[in-house]
Amino acid sequence: MDKRGFEKYRDLALFGRVISTGLVVAGYAFFGVYLARWMEGEGYPSWLVSLTPPGAVVFGLWQGWLLLSDLVRKRRQK
């Protein structure tokens, strides 16, 4: 297989990593909503309940940033 064939698969793997990062962020968003609904049922303060989904999304974005920045750093070192 020539070099271009391997680059195609490398691009596909990179695309998969970006998509999986988006799914990680979405998972944290859904978990934040689930956790907020549970907290509301348990009687937690409303300010804490309302801050839970955005906090989970920010945490998910941070995790996604770490994942993608690690990938970019590895590609630049090559």
Side-chain angles (χ1 to χ4, degrees), residues 21-44:
T21 301
L23 291 173
V24 165
V25 173
Y28 276 108
F30 285 121
F31 177 69
V33 170
Y34 177 79
L35 185 62
R37 291 186 60 130
W38 177 83
M39 290 169 64
E40 186 177 35
E42 293 292 316
Y44 282 84

Side-chain angles (χ1 to χ4, degrees), residues 46-62:
S46 62
W47 65 269
L48 186 59
V49 171
S50 65
L51 287 178
T52 301
V57 168
V58 167
F59 185 77
L61 287 171
W62 176 60

